[in-house]
Amino acid sequence: MATEKCFAKGSPSPGPVPKDRLRLYSMRFCPFAQRTRLVLDAKGIKHDTINIHLKEKPDWFLEKNPLGLVPALETPAGEVIYESPITCEYLDEAYPEKKLLPSSPYGKAQQRMMLEHFSKVIPYFYKIPTARRNGEDVSGQEAELKEKFAKLNEHLEKKKTKFFEGDTITMIDYMMWPFFERTEVLELKHCLDHTPELKKWTEHMLEDPAVKNTMYSMDTYKAFYKSVAEGKPDYDYGL
Amino acid sequence: MATEKCFAKGSPSPGPVPKDRLRLYSMRFCPFAQRTRLVLDAKGIKHDTINIHLKEKPDWFLEKNPLGLVPALETPAGEVIYESPITCEYLDEAYPEKKLLPSSPYGKAQQRMMLEHFSKVIPYFYKIPTARRNGEDVSGQEAELKEKFAKLNEHLEKKKTKFFEGDTITMIDYMMWPFFERTEVLELKHCLDHTPELKKWTEHMLEDPAVKNTMYSMDTYKAFYKSVAEGKPDYDYGL
Protein backbone atom coordinates (compact mmCIF):
# COMPACT_ATOMS: atom_id res chain seq x y z
CA MET A 1 0.00 0.00 0.00
CA ALA A 2 1.11 3.52 -0.68
CA THR A 3 0.11 4.64 2.78
CA GLU A 4 1.38 3.50 6.13
CA LYS A 5 -1.48 5.33 7.86
CA CYS A 6 -3.80 3.04 9.75
CA PHE A 7 -7.17 1.88 8.47
CA ALA A 8 -9.89 2.59 11.05
CA LYS A 9 -13.60 1.77 11.26
CA GLY A 10 -15.24 3.22 8.16
CA SER A 11 -12.06 3.16 6.03
CA PRO A 12 -12.61 1.67 2.60
CA SER A 13 -11.43 -1.92 2.20
CA PRO A 14 -8.01 -2.26 0.55
CA GLY A 15 -9.53 -4.80 -1.89
CA PRO A 16 -8.17 -8.20 -2.87
CA VAL A 17 -4.53 -9.14 -2.41
CA PRO A 18 -2.62 -8.79 -5.71
CA LYS A 19 -1.59 -12.12 -7.25
CA ASP A 20 2.17 -11.65 -6.90
CA ARG A 21 2.41 -10.91 -3.18
CA LEU A 22 1.23 -11.47 0.37
CA ARG A 23 -0.53 -8.97 2.55
CA LEU A 24 0.36 -8.25 6.16
CA TYR A 25 -2.18 -6.68 8.51
CA SER A 26 -0.12 -4.94 11.13
CA MET A 27 0.22 -2.08 13.57
CA ARG A 28 3.50 -0.20 13.23
CA PHE A 29 4.52 -0.41 16.89
CA CYS A 30 3.14 -3.86 17.79
CA PRO A 31 5.92 -6.21 18.97
CA PHE A 32 3.96 -9.29 17.87
CA ALA A 33 3.45 -7.89 14.38
CA GLN A 34 7.14 -7.01 14.31
CA ARG A 35 7.93 -10.73 14.58
CA THR A 36 6.19 -11.25 11.24
CA ARG A 37 7.74 -8.09 9.76
CA LEU A 38 11.18 -9.39 10.74
CA VAL A 39 10.58 -12.74 9.06
CA LEU A 40 9.12 -11.16 5.91
CA ASP A 41 12.13 -8.86 5.70
CA ALA A 42 14.76 -11.49 6.53
CA LYS A 43 13.40 -13.83 3.88
CA GLY A 44 12.81 -11.05 1.34
CA ILE A 45 9.14 -11.94 0.80
CA LYS A 46 7.24 -9.49 -1.41
CA HIS A 47 4.25 -8.10 0.50
CA ASP A 48 2.15 -5.04 1.14
CA THR A 49 1.22 -3.84 4.61
CA ILE A 50 -2.12 -2.60 5.86
CA ASN A 51 -1.90 -1.02 9.29
CA ILE A 52 -5.00 -1.40 11.43
CA HIS A 53 -6.38 1.03 14.01
CA LEU A 54 -6.51 -1.41 16.91
CA LYS A 55 -9.03 0.61 18.94
CA GLU A 56 -11.47 1.09 16.04
CA LYS A 57 -11.12 -1.83 13.68
CA PRO A 58 -12.71 -1.72 10.22
CA ASP A 59 -15.63 -4.13 9.72
CA TRP A 60 -14.01 -5.65 6.63
CA PHE A 61 -11.00 -6.56 8.77
CA LEU A 62 -13.15 -8.27 11.41
CA GLU A 63 -14.89 -10.23 8.65
CA LYS A 64 -11.58 -11.64 7.43
CA ASN A 65 -10.21 -12.17 10.90
CA PRO A 66 -12.96 -12.46 13.53
CA LEU A 67 -10.56 -12.14 16.47
CA GLY A 68 -9.32 -8.89 14.96
CA LEU A 69 -5.72 -9.74 15.75
CA VAL A 70 -2.56 -8.38 14.20
CA PRO A 71 -0.33 -9.71 12.81
CA ALA A 72 -2.41 -11.47 10.20
CA LEU A 73 -1.37 -12.56 6.74
CA GLU A 74 -3.65 -12.82 3.73
CA THR A 75 -2.73 -14.64 0.52
CA PRO A 76 -4.02 -13.84 -2.98
CA ALA A 77 -6.27 -16.93 -2.54
CA GLY A 78 -7.91 -15.24 0.46
CA GLU A 79 -6.34 -17.54 3.05
CA VAL A 80 -5.93 -15.72 6.38
CA ILE A 81 -3.30 -16.70 8.94
CA TYR A 82 -2.98 -15.14 12.40
CA GLU A 83 -1.12 -15.55 15.74
CA SER A 84 2.47 -14.37 15.38
CA PRO A 85 4.31 -17.71 15.78
CA ILE A 86 1.86 -19.35 13.35
CA THR A 87 2.37 -16.62 10.74
CA CYS A 88 6.14 -16.95 11.09
CA GLU A 89 6.22 -20.75 10.79
CA TYR A 90 3.87 -20.46 7.82
CA LEU A 91 6.25 -18.04 6.10
CA ASP A 92 9.23 -20.28 6.78
CA GLU A 93 7.43 -23.29 5.30
CA ALA A 94 5.75 -21.56 2.36
CA TYR A 95 8.94 -19.71 1.36
CA PRO A 96 11.66 -22.29 1.88
CA GLU A 97 14.57 -20.14 0.68
CA LYS A 98 16.68 -18.87 3.58
CA LYS A 99 15.17 -21.14 6.22
CA LEU A 100 14.97 -19.67 9.71
CA LEU A 101 13.91 -22.87 11.48
CA PRO A 102 16.21 -25.90 11.66
CA SER A 103 15.28 -28.82 9.43
CA SER A 104 15.54 -31.51 12.11
CA PRO A 105 12.38 -32.34 14.08
CA TYR A 106 14.27 -32.03 17.37
CA GLY A 107 15.80 -28.69 16.33
CA LYS A 108 12.32 -27.37 15.60
CA ALA A 109 10.98 -28.75 18.87
CA GLN A 110 13.80 -26.99 20.75
CA GLN A 111 12.87 -23.64 19.20
CA ARG A 112 9.20 -24.20 20.03
CA MET A 113 10.02 -25.09 23.64
CA MET A 114 12.17 -21.98 23.98
CA LEU A 115 9.36 -19.86 22.55
CA GLU A 116 6.99 -21.42 25.08
CA HIS A 117 9.37 -20.42 27.91
CA PHE A 118 9.68 -16.94 26.45
CA SER A 119 5.90 -16.55 26.34
CA LYS A 120 6.09 -16.44 30.14
CA VAL A 121 8.56 -13.53 29.98
CA ILE A 122 6.41 -11.31 27.74
CA PRO A 123 3.75 -10.36 30.35
CA TYR A 124 6.43 -8.53 32.38
CA PHE A 125 6.92 -6.09 29.48
CA TYR A 126 3.30 -5.03 30.03
CA LYS A 127 2.79 -5.52 33.78
CA ILE A 128 5.82 -3.59 35.02
CA PRO A 129 5.24 -0.35 33.04
CA THR A 130 1.53 -0.40 33.95
CA ALA A 131 2.21 -0.98 37.63
CA ARG A 132 4.86 1.75 37.60
CA ARG A 133 2.41 4.19 36.02
CA ASN A 134 -0.03 3.40 38.82
CA GLY A 135 2.64 4.28 41.35
CA GLU A 136 2.99 0.68 42.56
CA ASP A 137 6.19 -0.88 43.86
CA VAL A 138 7.62 -2.92 40.97
CA SER A 139 10.75 -4.24 42.67
CA GLY A 140 9.31 -7.75 43.08
CA GLN A 141 8.26 -7.99 39.43
CA GLU A 142 11.60 -6.60 38.30
CA ALA A 143 13.38 -9.23 40.36
CA GLU A 144 11.31 -11.93 38.64
CA LEU A 145 12.11 -10.50 35.21
CA LYS A 146 15.82 -10.38 36.08
CA GLU A 147 15.64 -14.04 37.02
CA LYS A 148 14.08 -14.87 33.64
CA PHE A 149 16.77 -12.84 31.87
CA ALA A 150 19.40 -14.73 33.90
CA LYS A 151 18.05 -18.02 32.48
CA LEU A 152 18.36 -16.68 28.92
CA ASN A 153 21.86 -15.47 29.75
CA GLU A 154 22.76 -18.91 31.06
CA HIS A 155 21.55 -20.49 27.80
CA LEU A 156 23.83 -18.20 25.76
CA GLU A 157 26.73 -18.80 28.16
CA LYS A 158 26.42 -22.55 27.70
CA LYS A 159 25.98 -22.40 23.92
CA LYS A 160 28.87 -19.90 23.50
CA THR A 161 27.25 -18.65 20.29
CA LYS A 162 26.34 -15.18 19.06
CA PHE A 163 22.65 -16.03 18.72
CA PHE A 164 20.32 -18.34 20.61
CA GLU A 165 20.76 -21.35 18.36
CA GLY A 166 24.14 -20.81 16.78
CA ASP A 167 26.36 -18.18 15.21
CA THR A 168 23.75 -17.22 12.65
CA ILE A 169 20.38 -15.71 13.43
CA THR A 170 17.38 -18.08 13.48
CA MET A 171 13.65 -17.89 14.12
CA ILE A 172 13.86 -17.84 17.93
CA ASP A 173 16.06 -14.70 17.86
CA TYR A 174 13.44 -12.89 15.77
CA MET A 175 10.62 -14.11 18.04
CA MET A 176 12.27 -12.61 21.13
CA TRP A 177 13.81 -9.49 19.67
CA PRO A 178 10.81 -7.10 19.49
CA PHE A 179 10.49 -7.14 23.28
CA PHE A 180 14.18 -6.40 23.80
CA GLU A 181 13.98 -3.53 21.30
CA ARG A 182 11.52 -1.94 23.73
CA THR A 183 13.49 -2.42 26.98
CA GLU A 184 14.76 1.16 26.89
CA VAL A 185 11.46 2.93 26.26
CA LEU A 186 9.75 0.67 28.83
CA GLU A 187 12.49 1.54 31.35
CA LEU A 188 13.52 -2.08 31.75
CA LYS A 189 17.07 -1.77 30.43
CA HIS A 190 18.63 -1.95 33.91
CA CYS A 191 17.19 -5.49 34.18
CA LEU A 192 19.91 -6.50 31.70
CA ASP A 193 22.72 -5.15 33.90
CA HIS A 194 23.82 -8.53 35.22
CA THR A 195 23.29 -10.57 32.07
CA PRO A 196 26.33 -9.75 29.91
CA GLU A 197 25.76 -12.49 27.32
CA LEU A 198 22.16 -11.40 26.79
CA LYS A 199 23.34 -7.81 26.44
CA LYS A 200 25.90 -8.90 23.85
CA TRP A 201 23.11 -10.74 22.00
CA THR A 202 21.10 -7.50 21.80
CA GLU A 203 24.17 -5.84 20.27
CA HIS A 204 24.51 -8.60 17.65
CA MET A 205 20.80 -8.31 16.90
CA LEU A 206 21.14 -4.57 16.28
CA GLU A 207 23.53 -5.37 13.43
CA ASP A 208 21.01 -7.58 11.63
CA PRO A 209 19.54 -5.99 8.48
CA ALA A 210 15.96 -7.14 9.20
CA VAL A 211 16.19 -5.70 12.71
CA LYS A 212 17.51 -2.42 11.30
CA ASN A 213 14.72 -2.32 8.70
CA THR A 214 11.86 -2.90 11.14
CA MET A 215 12.90 -0.84 14.15
CA TYR A 216 11.87 2.65 15.24
CA SER A 217 13.94 5.32 16.94
CA MET A 218 13.81 5.89 20.69
CA ASP A 219 12.11 9.24 20.11
CA THR A 220 9.35 7.63 18.06
CA TYR A 221 8.80 4.91 20.66
CA LYS A 222 8.75 7.49 23.43
CA ALA A 223 6.07 9.50 21.65
CA PHE A 224 4.02 6.42 20.84
CA TYR A 225 4.15 4.97 24.36
CA LYS A 226 3.30 8.40 25.80
CA SER A 227 0.16 8.39 23.65
CA VAL A 228 -0.64 4.85 24.91
CA ALA A 229 -0.21 5.94 28.53
CA GLU A 230 -2.61 8.78 27.88
CA GLY A 231 -5.20 6.31 26.60
CA LYS A 232 -5.05 7.60 23.00
CA PRO A 233 -2.57 5.49 21.07
CA ASP A 234 -1.26 7.46 18.10
CA TYR A 235 -0.82 4.62 15.60
CA ASP A 236 0.23 7.11 12.91
CA TYR A 237 2.85 8.93 14.96
CA GLY A 238 5.60 10.33 12.75
CA LEU A 239 3.83 9.83 9.42
CA MET B 1 8.47 -50.68 31.25
CA ALA B 2 6.92 -53.68 32.83
CA THR B 3 5.04 -51.57 35.34
CA GLU B 4 2.40 -48.93 34.76
CA LYS B 5 2.65 -47.87 38.40
CA CYS B 6 3.84 -44.34 38.85
CA PHE B 7 7.38 -43.37 39.79
CA ALA B 8 7.39 -41.07 42.83
CA LYS B 9 10.10 -39.14 44.67
CA GLY B 10 12.69 -41.67 45.79
CA SER B 11 11.89 -44.21 43.05
CA PRO B 12 14.96 -45.54 41.26
CA SER B 13 15.61 -43.99 37.84
CA PRO B 14 14.42 -46.10 34.92
CA GLY B 15 17.86 -45.74 33.32
CA PRO B 16 18.73 -44.77 29.76
CA VAL B 17 16.23 -45.09 26.91
CA PRO B 18 16.88 -48.29 24.91
CA LYS B 19 18.28 -47.68 21.41
CA ASP B 20 15.28 -48.99 19.47
CA ARG B 21 12.52 -46.91 21.02
CA LEU B 22 11.28 -43.64 22.47
CA ARG B 23 10.25 -43.04 26.06
CA LEU B 24 7.09 -41.25 27.12
CA TYR B 25 6.82 -39.72 30.59
CA SER B 26 3.14 -39.65 31.33
CA MET B 27 0.37 -39.82 33.90
CA ARG B 28 -2.32 -42.36 33.03
CA PHE B 29 -5.27 -39.97 33.39
CA CYS B 30 -3.71 -36.72 32.11
CA PRO B 31 -5.58 -35.39 29.05
CA PHE B 32 -2.49 -33.57 27.78
CA ALA B 33 -0.39 -36.73 28.00
CA GLN B 34 -3.21 -38.60 26.25
CA ARG B 35 -2.64 -36.37 23.20
CA THR B 36 0.85 -37.80 22.90
CA ARG B 37 -0.36 -41.32 23.68
CA LEU B 38 -2.92 -41.02 20.87
CA VAL B 39 -0.29 -39.91 18.36
CA LEU B 40 2.18 -42.61 19.43
CA ASP B 41 -0.56 -45.22 19.07
CA ALA B 42 -2.02 -43.90 15.80
CA LYS B 43 1.41 -43.86 14.19
CA GLY B 44 2.49 -47.17 15.72
CA ILE B 45 5.66 -45.75 17.26
CA LYS B 46 7.57 -48.17 19.50
CA HIS B 47 7.94 -46.68 22.98
CA ASP B 48 7.93 -47.40 26.66
CA THR B 49 5.97 -45.38 29.19
CA ILE B 50 7.07 -44.13 32.58
CA ASN B 51 4.20 -42.78 34.65
CA ILE B 52 5.12 -39.99 37.02
CA HIS B 53 3.62 -39.20 40.44
CA LEU B 54 2.70 -35.59 39.70
CA LYS B 55 2.48 -34.55 43.35
CA GLU B 56 5.83 -36.08 44.32
CA LYS B 57 8.08 -36.05 41.30
CA PRO B 58 11.33 -38.02 41.30
CA ASP B 59 14.50 -35.89 41.31
CA TRP B 60 15.86 -37.66 38.23
CA PHE B 61 12.73 -36.61 36.34
CA LEU B 62 13.15 -32.96 37.34
CA GLU B 63 16.76 -33.11 36.21
CA LYS B 64 15.72 -34.21 32.72
CA ASN B 65 12.74 -31.90 32.56
CA PRO B 66 13.11 -28.92 34.94
CA LEU B 67 9.46 -27.86 34.56
CA GLY B 68 8.45 -31.37 35.60
CA LEU B 69 5.73 -31.50 32.95
CA VAL B 70 4.07 -34.51 31.42
CA PRO B 71 3.84 -35.43 28.64
CA ALA B 72 7.55 -35.46 27.89
CA LEU B 73 9.41 -37.58 25.38
CA GLU B 74 12.98 -38.78 25.69
CA THR B 75 14.99 -40.21 22.80
CA PRO B 76 17.83 -42.75 23.08
CA ALA B 77 20.17 -39.77 22.46
CA GLY B 78 18.84 -38.14 25.65
CA GLU B 79 16.88 -35.40 23.84
CA VAL B 80 13.88 -34.33 25.92
CA ILE B 81 10.75 -32.79 24.36
CA TYR B 82 7.80 -31.43 26.34
CA GLU B 83 4.53 -29.46 25.93
CA SER B 84 1.87 -31.67 24.37
CA PRO B 85 1.48 -29.93 20.96
CA ILE B 86 5.28 -29.79 20.61
CA THR B 87 5.67 -33.49 21.38
CA CYS B 88 2.93 -34.36 18.86
CA GLU B 89 4.35 -32.23 16.04
CA TYR B 90 7.77 -33.69 16.81
CA LEU B 91 6.40 -37.23 16.46
CA ASP B 92 4.67 -36.37 13.20
CA GLU B 93 7.87 -34.93 11.76
CA ALA B 94 10.30 -37.50 13.12
CA TYR B 95 8.10 -40.45 12.08
CA PRO B 96 6.77 -39.40 8.68
CA GLU B 97 4.77 -42.59 7.99
CA LYS B 98 1.03 -42.03 8.45
CA LYS B 99 1.19 -38.26 8.63
CA LEU B 100 -1.38 -36.63 10.90
CA LEU B 101 -0.68 -33.04 9.88
CA PRO B 102 -1.37 -31.81 6.34
CA SER B 103 1.67 -31.26 4.17
CA SER B 104 0.72 -27.78 2.94
CA PRO B 105 1.94 -24.80 4.99
CA TYR B 106 -1.57 -23.31 5.04
CA GLY B 107 -3.11 -26.64 6.11
CA LYS B 108 -0.66 -26.80 9.01
CA ALA B 109 -1.36 -23.17 9.92
CA GLN B 110 -5.10 -23.91 9.97
CA GLN B 111 -4.61 -26.75 12.43
CA ARG B 112 -2.39 -24.57 14.62
CA MET B 113 -4.96 -21.75 14.62
CA MET B 114 -7.73 -24.18 15.55
CA LEU B 115 -5.60 -25.54 18.37
CA GLU B 116 -5.02 -21.99 19.57
CA HIS B 117 -8.81 -21.42 19.66
CA PHE B 118 -9.29 -24.72 21.45
CA SER B 119 -6.73 -23.74 24.09
CA LYS B 120 -9.31 -21.20 25.24
CA VAL B 121 -11.91 -23.95 25.69
CA ILE B 122 -9.76 -26.18 27.91
CA PRO B 123 -9.89 -24.04 31.08
CA TYR B 124 -13.66 -24.67 31.31
CA PHE B 125 -12.99 -28.38 31.82
CA TYR B 126 -11.20 -27.42 35.02
CA LYS B 127 -13.05 -24.30 36.19
CA ILE B 128 -16.60 -25.67 36.03
CA PRO B 129 -16.05 -28.87 38.04
CA THR B 130 -14.03 -26.93 40.65
CA ALA B 131 -16.67 -24.21 40.98
CA ARG B 132 -19.40 -26.83 41.22
CA ARG B 133 -17.51 -28.61 43.98
CA ASN B 134 -17.33 -25.33 45.85
CA GLY B 135 -21.10 -24.98 45.59
CA GLU B 136 -20.86 -22.01 43.20
CA ASP B 137 -23.37 -21.20 40.47
CA VAL B 138 -21.83 -22.46 37.21
CA SER B 139 -24.64 -21.51 34.81
CA GLY B 140 -22.69 -18.56 33.39
CA GLN B 141 -19.58 -20.62 32.75
CA GLU B 142 -21.66 -23.41 31.25
CA ALA B 143 -23.32 -20.93 28.89
CA GLU B 144 -19.86 -19.77 27.79
CA LEU B 145 -18.72 -23.35 27.21
CA LYS B 146 -21.88 -24.07 25.19
CA GLU B 147 -21.10 -21.07 23.02
CA LYS B 148 -17.60 -22.41 22.37
CA PHE B 149 -19.03 -25.84 21.54
CA ALA B 150 -21.49 -24.13 19.17
CA LYS B 151 -18.52 -22.64 17.27
CA LEU B 152 -16.96 -26.08 16.89
CA ASN B 153 -20.33 -27.44 15.78
CA GLU B 154 -20.58 -24.68 13.19
CA HIS B 155 -17.15 -25.59 11.83
CA LEU B 156 -18.22 -29.22 11.34
CA GLU B 157 -21.54 -28.14 9.84
CA LYS B 158 -19.74 -26.02 7.25
CA LYS B 159 -17.12 -28.65 6.45
CA LYS B 160 -19.70 -31.47 6.23
CA THR B 161 -16.99 -33.96 7.15
CA LYS B 162 -16.74 -36.68 9.80
CA PHE B 163 -13.68 -35.15 11.41
CA PHE B 164 -12.47 -31.58 11.86
CA GLU B 165 -10.31 -31.45 8.77
CA GLY B 166 -11.89 -34.05 6.50
CA ASP B 167 -13.29 -37.55 6.46
CA THR B 168 -10.18 -39.05 7.98
CA ILE B 169 -8.87 -38.31 11.42
CA THR B 170 -6.01 -35.78 11.68
CA MET B 171 -3.89 -34.18 14.38
CA ILE B 172 -6.47 -31.60 15.48
CA ASP B 173 -9.01 -34.34 16.28
CA TYR B 174 -6.50 -36.06 18.55
CA MET B 175 -5.56 -32.74 20.20
CA MET B 176 -9.18 -32.04 21.19
CA TRP B 177 -10.39 -35.55 21.95
CA PRO B 178 -9.01 -36.14 25.49
CA PHE B 179 -11.19 -33.33 26.85
CA PHE B 180 -14.33 -34.68 25.20
CA GLU B 181 -13.57 -38.14 26.56
CA ARG B 182 -13.95 -36.58 30.01
CA THR B 183 -17.22 -34.66 29.45
CA GLU B 184 -19.27 -37.39 31.14
CA VAL B 185 -17.18 -37.81 34.28
CA LEU B 186 -16.86 -34.01 34.58
CA GLU B 187 -20.65 -33.68 34.23
CA LEU B 188 -20.37 -31.51 31.14
CA LYS B 189 -22.10 -33.84 28.70
CA HIS B 190 -25.34 -31.79 28.67
CA CYS B 191 -23.30 -28.91 27.18
CA LEU B 192 -23.26 -30.97 23.96
CA ASP B 193 -27.07 -31.20 23.80
CA HIS B 194 -27.52 -28.54 21.15
CA THR B 195 -24.46 -29.32 19.04
CA PRO B 196 -25.48 -32.40 17.03
CA GLU B 197 -22.49 -32.33 14.65
CA LEU B 198 -20.05 -32.16 17.51
CA LYS B 199 -21.87 -35.03 19.20
CA LYS B 200 -21.63 -37.06 15.99
CA TRP B 201 -17.91 -36.27 15.90
CA THR B 202 -17.48 -37.75 19.40
CA GLU B 203 -19.20 -40.91 18.11
CA HIS B 204 -16.84 -41.16 15.15
CA MET B 205 -13.90 -40.62 17.46
CA LEU B 206 -15.00 -43.49 19.69
CA GLU B 207 -14.57 -45.83 16.72
CA ASP B 208 -10.93 -44.86 16.18
CA PRO B 209 -8.45 -47.57 17.26
CA ALA B 210 -6.04 -45.13 18.94
CA VAL B 211 -8.92 -43.62 20.91
CA LYS B 212 -10.04 -47.10 21.96
CA ASN B 213 -6.50 -48.05 22.98
CA THR B 214 -5.86 -45.02 25.15
CA MET B 215 -9.20 -44.51 26.89
CA TYR B 216 -10.36 -45.56 30.35
CA SER B 217 -13.80 -46.72 31.47
CA MET B 218 -16.27 -44.37 33.11
CA ASP B 219 -15.88 -46.28 36.38
CA THR B 220 -12.13 -45.80 36.35
CA TYR B 221 -12.46 -42.08 35.59
CA LYS B 222 -15.06 -41.71 38.34
CA ALA B 223 -12.78 -43.32 40.88
CA PHE B 224 -9.78 -41.28 39.75
CA TYR B 225 -11.60 -37.94 39.76
CA LYS B 226 -13.09 -38.76 43.17
CA SER B 227 -9.54 -39.21 44.49
CA VAL B 228 -8.59 -35.86 42.89
CA ALA B 229 -11.56 -34.12 44.53
CA GLU B 230 -10.44 -35.54 47.87
CA GLY B 231 -6.99 -34.01 47.34
CA LYS B 232 -5.25 -37.40 47.04
CA PRO B 233 -5.03 -38.29 43.35
CA ASP B 234 -4.73 -42.07 42.97
CA TYR B 235 -2.48 -42.21 39.92
CA ASP B 236 -2.34 -46.01 40.18
CA TYR B 237 -6.09 -46.59 40.43
CA GLY B 238 -7.07 -49.97 38.96
CA LEU B 239 -3.54 -51.41 38.70
Side-chain angles (χ1 to χ4, degrees):
Chain A
M1 283 289 125
T3 180
E4 275 195 64
K5 289 205 175 168
C6 68
F7 284 61
K9 203 174 175 68
S11 305
S13 155
V17 181
K19 278 222 164 55
D20 63 340
R21 64 190 63 204
L22 273 181
R23 178 171 292 157
L24 171 69
Y25 297 98
S26 184
M27 187 281 273
R28 293 160 67 230
F29 306 115
C30 170
F32 297 97
Q34 193 183 356
R35 287 174 161 177
T36 317
R37 289 165 56 225
L38 283 162
V39 172
L40 285 163
D41 190 280
K43 294 178 72 87
I45 298 168
K46 207 168 159 185
H47 66 282
D48 62 29
T49 302
I50 302 287
N51 288 307
I52 300 292
H53 192 301
L54 296 184
K55 293 260 184 188
E56 298 163 22
K57 295 170 187 169
D59 293 335
W60 50 259
F61 181 60
L62 292 169
E63 270 166 41
K64 286 183 201 295
N65 183 2
L67 297 179
L69 292 172
V70 300
L73 292 171
E74 186 178 4
T75 70
E79 298 159 339
V80 176
I81 301 127
Y82 45 81
E83 289 289 335
S84 63
I86 301 176
T87 62
C88 294
E89 285 212 25
Y90 168 81
L91 291 173
D92 207 40
E93 287 173 7
Y95 298 83
E97 315 79 44
K98 208 188 166 220
K99 276 287 211 183
L100 293 173
L101 279 168
S103 57
S104 84
Y106 180 60
K108 266 184 228 166
Q110 277 182 305
Q111 294 230 350
R112 287 182 186 137
M113 290 188 277
M114 213 183 296
L115 188 60
E116 190 61 35
H117 283 290
F118 190 70
S119 73
K120 284 152 196 141
V121 183
I122 295 174
Y124 291 92
F125 287 85
Y126 293 87
K127 284 191 296 186
I128 297 176
T130 306
R132 211 187 271 135
R133 247 188 340 257
N134 296 337
E136 293 165 26
D137 173 24
V138 295
S139 54
Q141 292 188 359
E142 284 190 351
E144 284 172 34
L145 180 61
K146 282 177 194 168
E147 222 172 278
K148 305 234 177 241
F149 282 175
K151 288 259 179 218
L152 295 173
N153 194 68
E154 213 177 280
H155 177 98
L156 288 164
E157 234 170 40
K158 270 190 208 156
K159 293 276 292 185
K160 297 190 204 313
T161 52
K162 277 166 78 173
F163 298 101
F164 270 90
E165 283 302 318
D167 281 324
T168 51
I169 205 162
T170 67
M171 189 66 94
I172 189 66
D173 300 296
Y174 286 134
M175 295 300 100
M176 298 198 288
W177 172 253
F179 302 91
F180 288 93
E181 183 170 312
R182 289 154 178 81
T183 47
E184 192 173 341
V185 69
L186 297 173
E187 294 171 47
L188 294 169
K189 213 166 179 182
H190 63 284
C191 295
L192 285 164
D193 279 351
H194 302 287
T195 53
E197 297 307 315
L198 190 58
K199 215 168 179 175
K200 255 190 252 167
W201 170 79
T202 65
E203 286 154 18
H204 294 310
M205 288 302 287
L206 284 168
E207 289 165 20
D208 180 72
V211 167
K212 283 184 188 167
N213 290 340
T214 61
M215 82 183 293
Y216 288 99
S217 72
M218 245 319 264
D219 285 348
T220 300
Y221 275 133
K222 270 191 183 154
F224 173 69
Y225 278 100
K226 188 169 168 281
S227 74
V228 171
E230 288 163 354
K232 288 206 157 225
D234 184 0
Y235 300 118
D236 291 340
Y237 179 82
L239 294 180
Chain B
M1 283 288 123
T3 181
E4 275 196 63
K5 290 206 176 167
C6 68
F7 284 61
K9 203 173 176 70
S11 305
S13 156
V17 181
K19 279 225 162 55
D20 62 340
R21 65 191 60 205
L22 272 180
R23 178 171 293 156
L24 171 69
Y25 296 98
S26 185
M27 188 281 274
R28 291 159 69 229
F29 307 115
C30 169
F32 296 96
Q34 194 183 354
R35 288 174 160 176
T36 317
R37 288 164 57 226
L38 283 162
V39 172
L40 284 162
D41 190 281
K43 295 178 72 87
I45 298 168
K46 206 167 160 186
H47 66 283
D48 61 29
T49 301
I50 302 288
N51 288 308
I52 299 292
H53 193 303
L54 297 184
K55 293 258 185 188
E56 298 164 22
K57 296 172 186 166
D59 292 336
W60 50 259
F61 180 61
L62 292 168
E63 269 166 41
K64 285 183 202 297
N65 184 1
L67 297 179
L69 293 171
V70 299
L73 293 170
E74 187 178 3
T75 70
E79 297 159 340
V80 176
I81 301 127
Y82 45 81
E83 290 289 335
S84 63
I86 301 175
T87 61
C88 295
E89 286 213 24
Y90 168 81
L91 291 173
D92 207 40
E93 287 174 7
Y95 297 82
E97 316 80 42
K98 208 184 168 228
K99 275 288 211 181
L100 293 173
L101 278 168
S103 58
S104 85
Y106 180 61
K108 265 184 230 168
Q110 277 183 305
Q111 294 229 349
R112 288 182 186 139
M113 289 188 277
M114 213 183 297
L115 187 61
E116 189 60 35
H117 284 290
F118 189 70
S119 72
K120 283 152 195 140
V121 183
I122 296 175
Y124 292 91
F125 287 84
Y126 293 87
K127 283 190 296 185
I128 298 176
T130 306
R132 212 188 270 134
R133 247 189 340 257
N134 297 337
E136 293 165 25
D137 174 23
V138 295
S139 55
Q141 291 188 0
E142 284 190 351
E144 285 172 31
L145 179 60
K146 282 177 193 169
E147 222 172 277
K148 307 235 176 240
F149 281 174
K151 289 261 175 211
L152 294 174
N153 194 67
E154 213 177 279
H155 177 97
L156 288 165
E157 235 170 40
K158 270 191 206 155
K159 293 278 291 186
K160 297 190 205 309
T161 52
K162 278 167 74 174
F163 298 101
F164 271 89
E165 284 302 317
D167 281 324
T168 50
I169 204 162
T170 67
M171 188 65 93
I172 189 67
D173 300 295
Y174 286 134
M175 296 300 100
M176 299 199 289
W177 172 252
F179 303 91
F180 288 93
E181 183 170 310
R182 289 154 179 80
T183 47
E184 193 173 341
V185 69
L186 297 174
E187 294 172 47
L188 294 170
K189 214 169 178 181
H190 62 283
C191 296
L192 285 165
D193 280 350
H194 302 286
T195 52
E197 297 307 315
L198 190 58
K199 216 169 178 171
K200 254 189 253 167
W201 171 77
T202 65
E203 286 153 19
H204 295 310
M205 289 301 287
L206 285 168
E207 289 165 20
D208 180 73
V211 167
K212 284 184 189 167
N213 290 340
T214 60
M215 84 184 291
Y216 288 99
S217 73
M218 242 322 259
D219 285 348
T220 299
Y221 274 134
K222 270 191 184 154
F224 174 69
Y225 277 99
K226 189 169 168 279
S227 75
V228 171
E230 288 164 353
K232 286 206 161 228
D234 183 0
Y235 300 119
D236 291 340
Y237 178 82
L239 294 181

